[in-house]
Amino acid sequence: QVQLVESGGGSVHIGGSLRLSCAPSGRVVAMNTMAWYRQAPGKERELVASITDTGLTNYTASVKGRFTISRENTKNTMYLQMNSLEPEDTAVYYCYAHAWYGQWDDYWGQGTQVTVSS
């Protein structure tokens, strides 16, 4: 069974930065699209950014210019560099991957809390 493990969350002040990481705990043969989602209290989970195995990226409008998604395919690891953080970025951030582990399937991490305060 493959699990995605996130790290790097925490609490910062407005304008601060954090870098999230996501890597599989098991041996994964291949990963296709990977993405970061977030869910704020009382809100639905939303896509923050995604990246294909060829490096094509997509961002939700509210984070463009502030967040950067990247990945290291040799390590099956994904990152989210978050700069100029705002209170509206406060949420639990989830890692997602479409990966091959005997078959193609969708995998999620357990989530990591990001809190931005004044």
PDB file of all heavy atoms in Angstrom, residues 72-97:
ATOM      1  N   GLU A  72      10.620  16.350  -8.249  1.00  0.00           N
ATOM      2  CA  GLU A  72      11.824  15.614  -8.617  1.00  0.00           C
ATOM      3  C   GLU A  72      11.382  14.210  -8.988  1.00  0.00           C
ATOM      4  O   GLU A  72      11.079  13.396  -8.103  1.00  0.00           O
ATOM      5  CB  GLU A  72      12.811  15.562  -7.456  1.00  0.00           C
ATOM      6  CG  GLU A  72      13.477  16.875  -7.113  1.00  0.00           C
ATOM      7  CD  GLU A  72      14.542  16.711  -6.046  1.00  0.00           C
ATOM      8  OE1 GLU A  72      15.591  16.108  -6.336  1.00  0.00           O
ATOM      9  OE2 GLU A  72      14.308  17.164  -4.905  1.00  0.00           O
ATOM     10  N   ASN A  73      11.322  13.925 -10.273  1.00  0.00           N
ATOM     11  CA  ASN A  73      10.792  12.641 -10.729  1.00  0.00           C
ATOM     12  C   ASN A  73      11.635  11.453 -10.253  1.00  0.00           C
ATOM     13  O   ASN A  73      11.108  10.375 -10.008  1.00  0.00           O
ATOM     14  CB  ASN A  73      10.674  12.632 -12.244  1.00  0.00           C
ATOM     15  CG  ASN A  73       9.538  13.521 -12.735  1.00  0.00           C
ATOM     16  OD1 ASN A  73       8.595  13.792 -12.002  1.00  0.00           O
ATOM     17  ND2 ASN A  73       9.637  13.982 -13.964  1.00  0.00           N
ATOM     18  N   THR A  74      12.938  11.658 -10.118  1.00  0.00           N
ATOM     19  CA  THR A  74      13.789  10.546  -9.683  1.00  0.00           C
ATOM     20  C   THR A  74      13.484  10.136  -8.246  1.00  0.00           C
ATOM     21  O   THR A  74      13.767   9.013  -7.841  1.00  0.00           O
ATOM     22  CB  THR A  74      15.266  10.912  -9.804  1.00  0.00           C
ATOM     23  OG1 THR A  74      15.500  12.106  -9.055  1.00  0.00           O
ATOM     24  CG2 THR A  74      15.649  11.144 -11.264  1.00  0.00           C
ATOM     25  N   LYS A  75      12.926  11.058  -7.483  1.00  0.00           N
ATOM     26  CA  LYS A  75      12.578  10.788  -6.091  1.00  0.00           C
ATOM     27  C   LYS A  75      11.069  10.678  -5.888  1.00  0.00           C
ATOM     28  O   LYS A  75      10.612  10.430  -4.768  1.00  0.00           O
ATOM     29  CB  LYS A  75      13.117  11.887  -5.186  1.00  0.00           C
ATOM     30  CG  LYS A  75      14.625  12.032  -5.184  1.00  0.00           C
ATOM     31  CD  LYS A  75      15.042  13.154  -4.244  1.00  0.00           C
ATOM     32  CE  LYS A  75      16.553  13.334  -4.211  1.00  0.00           C
ATOM     33  NZ  LYS A  75      16.964  14.438  -3.296  1.00  0.00           N
ATOM     34  N   ASN A  76      10.299  10.869  -6.970  1.00  0.00           N
ATOM     35  CA  ASN A  76       8.830  10.903  -6.860  1.00  0.00           C
ATOM     36  C   ASN A  76       8.394  11.880  -5.773  1.00  0.00           C
ATOM     37  O   ASN A  76       7.428  11.621  -5.050  1.00  0.00           O
ATOM     38  CB  ASN A  76       8.281   9.504  -6.562  1.00  0.00           C
ATOM     39  CG  ASN A  76       8.336   8.602  -7.776  1.00  0.00           C
ATOM     40  OD1 ASN A  76       8.074   9.035  -8.896  1.00  0.00           O
ATOM     41  ND2 ASN A  76       8.674   7.354  -7.563  1.00  0.00           N
ATOM     42  N   THR A  77       9.075  12.981  -5.673  1.00  0.00           N
ATOM     43  CA  THR A  77       8.811  13.968  -4.638  1.00  0.00           C
ATOM     44  C   THR A  77       8.310  15.256  -5.265  1.00  0.00           C
ATOM     45  O   THR A  77       8.774  15.670  -6.323  1.00  0.00           O
ATOM     46  CB  THR A  77      10.082  14.239  -3.824  1.00  0.00           C
ATOM     47  OG1 THR A  77      10.528  13.025  -3.225  1.00  0.00           O
ATOM     48  CG2 THR A  77       9.816  15.261  -2.731  1.00  0.00           C
ATOM     49  N   MET A  78       7.342  15.860  -4.582  1.00  0.00           N
ATOM     50  CA  MET A  78       6.752  17.112  -5.048  1.00  0.00           C
ATOM     51  C   MET A  78       6.912  18.168  -3.968  1.00  0.00           C
ATOM     52  O   MET A  78       6.927  17.842  -2.775  1.00  0.00           O
ATOM     53  CB  MET A  78       5.269  16.899  -5.357  1.00  0.00           C
ATOM     54  CG  MET A  78       4.508  18.153  -5.728  1.00  0.00           C
ATOM     55  SD  MET A  78       2.795  17.820  -6.151  1.00  0.00           S
ATOM     56  CE  MET A  78       2.160  17.226  -4.574  1.00  0.00           C
ATOM     57  N   TYR A  79       7.012  19.417  -4.389  1.00  0.00           N
ATOM     58  CA  TYR A  79       7.180  20.531  -3.471  1.00  0.00           C
ATOM     59  C   TYR A  79       6.181  21.637  -3.775  1.00  0.00           C
ATOM     60  O   TYR A  79       5.685  21.757  -4.898  1.00  0.00           O
ATOM     61  CB  TYR A  79       8.594  21.109  -3.578  1.00  0.00           C
ATOM     62  CG  TYR A  79       9.683  20.080  -3.431  1.00  0.00           C
ATOM     63  CD1 TYR A  79      10.279  19.507  -4.549  1.00  0.00           C
ATOM     64  CD2 TYR A  79      10.124  19.681  -2.173  1.00  0.00           C
ATOM     65  CE1 TYR A  79      11.274  18.549  -4.428  1.00  0.00           C
ATOM     66  CE2 TYR A  79      11.118  18.722  -2.043  1.00  0.00           C
ATOM     67  CZ  TYR A  79      11.677  18.163  -3.170  1.00  0.00           C
ATOM     68  OH  TYR A  79      12.663  17.211  -3.036  1.00  0.00           O
ATOM     69  N   LEU A  80       5.910  22.446  -2.771  1.00  0.00           N
ATOM     70  CA  LEU A  80       5.129  23.661  -2.958  1.00  0.00           C
ATOM     71  C   LEU A  80       5.823  24.769  -2.167  1.00  0.00           C
ATOM     72  O   LEU A  80       5.791  24.764  -0.939  1.00  0.00           O
ATOM     73  CB  LEU A  80       3.687  23.492  -2.490  1.00  0.00           C
ATOM     74  CG  LEU A  80       2.788  24.692  -2.772  1.00  0.00           C
ATOM     75  CD1 LEU A  80       2.569  24.848  -4.281  1.00  0.00           C
ATOM     76  CD2 LEU A  80       1.442  24.543  -2.060  1.00  0.00           C
ATOM     77  N   GLN A  81       6.450  25.673  -2.888  1.00  0.00           N
ATOM     78  CA  GLN A  81       7.063  26.839  -2.260  1.00  0.00           C
ATOM     79  C   GLN A  81       6.008  27.925  -2.163  1.00  0.00           C
ATOM     80  O   GLN A  81       5.458  28.347  -3.181  1.00  0.00           O
ATOM     81  CB  GLN A  81       8.259  27.331  -3.089  1.00  0.00           C
ATOM     82  CG  GLN A  81       8.917  28.566  -2.525  1.00  0.00           C
ATOM     83  CD  GLN A  81       9.585  28.324  -1.187  1.00  0.00           C
ATOM     84  OE1 GLN A  81      10.264  27.322  -0.993  1.00  0.00           O
ATOM     85  NE2 GLN A  81       9.399  29.252  -0.252  1.00  0.00           N
ATOM     86  N   MET A  82       5.725  28.346  -0.941  1.00  0.00           N
ATOM     87  CA  MET A  82       4.680  29.338  -0.709  1.00  0.00           C
ATOM     88  C   MET A  82       5.308  30.595  -0.147  1.00  0.00           C
ATOM     89  O   MET A  82       5.887  30.576   0.952  1.00  0.00           O
ATOM     90  CB  MET A  82       3.642  28.777   0.268  1.00  0.00           C
ATOM     91  CG  MET A  82       3.025  27.463  -0.197  1.00  0.00           C
ATOM     92  SD  MET A  82       1.690  26.884   0.887  1.00  0.00           S
ATOM     93  CE  MET A  82       2.619  26.543   2.375  1.00  0.00           C
ATOM     94  N   ASN A  83       5.209  31.679  -0.889  1.00  0.00           N
ATOM     95  CA  ASN A  83       5.739  32.973  -0.468  1.00  0.00           C
ATOM     96  C   ASN A  83       4.614  33.974  -0.295  1.00  0.00           C
ATOM     97  O   ASN A  83       3.494  33.756  -0.771  1.00  0.00           O
ATOM     98  CB  ASN A  83       6.737  33.492  -1.511  1.00  0.00           C
ATOM     99  CG  ASN A  83       7.936  32.584  -1.685  1.00  0.00           C
ATOM    100  OD1 ASN A  83       8.388  31.926  -0.743  1.00  0.00           O
ATOM    101  ND2 ASN A  83       8.458  32.526  -2.896  1.00  0.00           N
ATOM    102  N   SER A  84       4.913  35.069   0.363  1.00  0.00           N
ATOM    103  CA  SER A  84       3.927  36.142   0.578  1.00  0.00           C
ATOM    104  C   SER A  84       2.615  35.580   1.097  1.00  0.00           C
ATOM    105  O   SER A  84       1.530  35.905   0.584  1.00  0.00           O
ATOM    106  CB  SER A  84       3.702  36.914  -0.730  1.00  0.00           C
ATOM    107  OG  SER A  84       4.907  37.458  -1.209  1.00  0.00           O
ATOM    108  N   LEU A  85       2.699  34.763   2.113  1.00  0.00           N
ATOM    109  CA  LEU A  85       1.507  34.093   2.632  1.00  0.00           C
ATOM    110  C   LEU A  85       0.538  35.081   3.251  1.00  0.00           C
ATOM    111  O   LEU A  85       0.934  36.085   3.875  1.00  0.00           O
ATOM    112  CB  LEU A  85       1.908  33.026   3.642  1.00  0.00           C
ATOM    113  CG  LEU A  85       2.461  31.736   3.000  1.00  0.00           C
ATOM    114  CD1 LEU A  85       3.237  30.916   4.005  1.00  0.00           C
ATOM    115  CD2 LEU A  85       1.320  30.922   2.406  1.00  0.00           C
ATOM    116  N   GLU A  86      -0.730  34.775   3.056  1.00  0.00           N
ATOM    117  CA  GLU A  86      -1.831  35.610   3.532  1.00  0.00           C
ATOM    118  C   GLU A  86      -2.710  34.781   4.461  1.00  0.00           C
ATOM    119  O   GLU A  86      -2.712  33.547   4.379  1.00  0.00           O
ATOM    120  CB  GLU A  86      -2.638  36.111   2.329  1.00  0.00           C
ATOM    121  CG  GLU A  86      -1.827  36.844   1.293  1.00  0.00           C
ATOM    122  CD  GLU A  86      -2.596  37.071  -0.001  1.00  0.00           C
ATOM    123  OE1 GLU A  86      -3.706  36.505  -0.145  1.00  0.00           O
ATOM    124  OE2 GLU A  86      -2.074  37.801  -0.875  1.00  0.00           O
ATOM    125  N   PRO A  87      -3.480  35.453   5.329  1.00  0.00           N
ATOM    126  CA  PRO A  87      -4.382  34.683   6.222  1.00  0.00           C
ATOM    127  C   PRO A  87      -5.334  33.768   5.452  1.00  0.00           C
ATOM    128  O   PRO A  87      -5.702  32.697   5.952  1.00  0.00           O
ATOM    129  CB  PRO A  87      -5.146  35.792   6.945  1.00  0.00           C
ATOM    130  CG  PRO A  87      -4.204  36.948   6.960  1.00  0.00           C
ATOM    131  CD  PRO A  87      -3.477  36.883   5.641  1.00  0.00           C
ATOM    132  N   GLU A  88      -5.702  34.175   4.229  1.00  0.00           N
ATOM    133  CA  GLU A  88      -6.611  33.358   3.414  1.00  0.00           C
ATOM    134  C   GLU A  88      -5.966  32.056   2.955  1.00  0.00           C
ATOM    135  O   GLU A  88      -6.658  31.170   2.448  1.00  0.00           O
ATOM    136  CB  GLU A  88      -7.074  34.142   2.190  1.00  0.00           C
ATOM    137  CG  GLU A  88      -7.975  35.338   2.496  1.00  0.00           C
ATOM    138  CD  GLU A  88      -7.233  36.512   3.120  1.00  0.00           C
ATOM    139  OE1 GLU A  88      -5.994  36.615   2.916  1.00  0.00           O
ATOM    140  OE2 GLU A  88      -7.874  37.314   3.822  1.00  0.00           O
ATOM    141  N   ASP A  89      -4.665  31.928   3.115  1.00  0.00           N
ATOM    142  CA  ASP A  89      -3.975  30.685   2.759  1.00  0.00           C
ATOM    143  C   ASP A  89      -4.041  29.658   3.896  1.00  0.00           C
ATOM    144  O   ASP A  89      -3.612  28.513   3.705  1.00  0.00           O
ATOM    145  CB  ASP A  89      -2.511  30.963   2.426  1.00  0.00           C
ATOM    146  CG  ASP A  89      -2.338  31.860   1.216  1.00  0.00           C
ATOM    147  OD1 ASP A  89      -3.061  31.643   0.217  1.00  0.00           O
ATOM    148  OD2 ASP A  89      -1.503  32.783   1.273  1.00  0.00           O
ATOM    149  N   THR A  90      -4.555  30.057   5.033  1.00  0.00           N
ATOM    150  CA  THR A  90      -4.672  29.138   6.162  1.00  0.00           C
ATOM    151  C   THR A  90      -5.607  27.988   5.806  1.00  0.00           C
ATOM    152  O   THR A  90      -6.749  28.196   5.410  1.00  0.00           O
ATOM    153  CB  THR A  90      -5.206  29.874   7.397  1.00  0.00           C
ATOM    154  OG1 THR A  90      -4.242  30.852   7.803  1.00  0.00           O
ATOM    155  CG2 THR A  90      -5.454  28.903   8.541  1.00  0.00           C
ATOM    156  N   ALA A  91      -5.085  26.764   5.922  1.00  0.00           N
ATOM    157  CA  ALA A  91      -5.853  25.583   5.549  1.00  0.00           C
ATOM    158  C   ALA A  91      -5.020  24.342   5.837  1.00  0.00           C
ATOM    159  O   ALA A  91      -3.829  24.442   6.148  1.00  0.00           O
ATOM    160  CB  ALA A  91      -6.214  25.621   4.061  1.00  0.00           C
ATOM    161  N   VAL A  92      -5.665  23.204   5.710  1.00  0.00           N
ATOM    162  CA  VAL A  92      -4.929  21.940   5.677  1.00  0.00           C
ATOM    163  C   VAL A  92      -4.591  21.665   4.215  1.00  0.00           C
ATOM    164  O   VAL A  92      -5.486  21.682   3.364  1.00  0.00           O
ATOM    165  CB  VAL A  92      -5.753  20.796   6.267  1.00  0.00           C
ATOM    166  CG1 VAL A  92      -4.974  19.477   6.158  1.00  0.00           C
ATOM    167  CG2 VAL A  92      -6.107  21.083   7.720  1.00  0.00           C
ATOM    168  N   TYR A  93      -3.331  21.439   3.945  1.00  0.00           N
ATOM    169  CA  TYR A  93      -2.857  21.198   2.588  1.00  0.00           C
ATOM    170  C   TYR A  93      -2.649  19.702   2.384  1.00  0.00           C
ATOM    171  O   TYR A  93      -1.993  19.036   3.185  1.00  0.00           O
ATOM    172  CB  TYR A  93      -1.568  21.956   2.336  1.00  0.00           C
ATOM    173  CG  TYR A  93      -1.793  23.425   2.120  1.00  0.00           C
ATOM    174  CD1 TYR A  93      -2.205  24.242   3.173  1.00  0.00           C
ATOM    175  CD2 TYR A  93      -1.642  24.007   0.865  1.00  0.00           C
ATOM    176  CE1 TYR A  93      -2.456  25.588   2.983  1.00  0.00           C
ATOM    177  CE2 TYR A  93      -1.874  25.362   0.661  1.00  0.00           C
ATOM    178  CZ  TYR A  93      -2.282  26.139   1.731  1.00  0.00           C
ATOM    179  OH  TYR A  93      -2.538  27.477   1.526  1.00  0.00           O
ATOM    180  N   TYR A  94      -3.215  19.196   1.278  1.00  0.00           N
ATOM    181  CA  TYR A  94      -3.157  17.772   0.965  1.00  0.00           C
ATOM    182  C   TYR A  94      -2.374  17.533  -0.320  1.00  0.00           C
ATOM    183  O   TYR A  94      -2.553  18.237  -1.314  1.00  0.00           O
ATOM    184  CB  TYR A  94      -4.562  17.203   0.793  1.00  0.00           C
ATOM    185  CG  TYR A  94      -5.410  17.250   2.037  1.00  0.00           C
ATOM    186  CD1 TYR A  94      -6.230  18.341   2.306  1.00  0.00           C
ATOM    187  CD2 TYR A  94      -5.402  16.190   2.951  1.00  0.00           C
ATOM    188  CE1 TYR A  94      -7.016  18.390   3.448  1.00  0.00           C
ATOM    189  CE2 TYR A  94      -6.182  16.226   4.092  1.00  0.00           C
ATOM    190  CZ  TYR A  94      -6.984  17.331   4.329  1.00  0.00           C
ATOM    191  OH  TYR A  94      -7.761  17.369   5.460  1.00  0.00           O
ATOM    192  N   CYS A  95      -1.575  16.512  -0.284  1.00  0.00           N
ATOM    193  CA  CYS A  95      -0.839  16.076  -1.461  1.00  0.00           C
ATOM    194  C   CYS A  95      -1.675  15.030  -2.199  1.00  0.00           C
ATOM    195  O   CYS A  95      -2.312  14.173  -1.570  1.00  0.00           O
ATOM    196  CB  CYS A  95       0.481  15.474  -0.988  1.00  0.00           C
ATOM    197  SG  CYS A  95       1.416  14.594  -2.234  1.00  0.00           S
ATOM    198  N   TYR A  96      -1.661  15.103  -3.519  1.00  0.00           N
ATOM    199  CA  TYR A  96      -2.377  14.143  -4.355  1.00  0.00           C
ATOM    200  C   TYR A  96      -1.434  13.639  -5.450  1.00  0.00           C
ATOM    201  O   TYR A  96      -0.609  14.400  -5.979  1.00  0.00           O
ATOM    202  CB  TYR A  96      -3.598  14.811  -5.010  1.00  0.00           C
ATOM    203  CG  TYR A  96      -4.099  14.064  -6.220  1.00  0.00           C
ATOM    204  CD1 TYR A  96      -5.010  13.022  -6.092  1.00  0.00           C
ATOM    205  CD2 TYR A  96      -3.632  14.382  -7.495  1.00  0.00           C
ATOM    206  CE1 TYR A  96      -5.442  12.315  -7.207  1.00  0.00           C
ATOM    207  CE2 TYR A  96      -4.063  13.676  -8.608  1.00  0.00           C
ATOM    208  CZ  TYR A  96      -4.966  12.648  -8.458  1.00  0.00           C
ATOM    209  OH  TYR A  96      -5.387  11.950  -9.561  1.00  0.00           O
ATOM    210  N   ALA A  97      -1.588  12.379  -5.800  1.00  0.00           N
ATOM    211  CA  ALA A  97      -0.822  11.843  -6.921  1.00  0.00           C
ATOM    212  C   ALA A  97      -1.609  10.752  -7.629  1.00  0.00           C
ATOM    213  O   ALA A  97      -2.315   9.958  -6.991  1.00  0.00           O
ATOM    214  CB  ALA A  97       0.512  11.286  -6.442  1.00  0.00           C
TER     215      ALA A  97
END
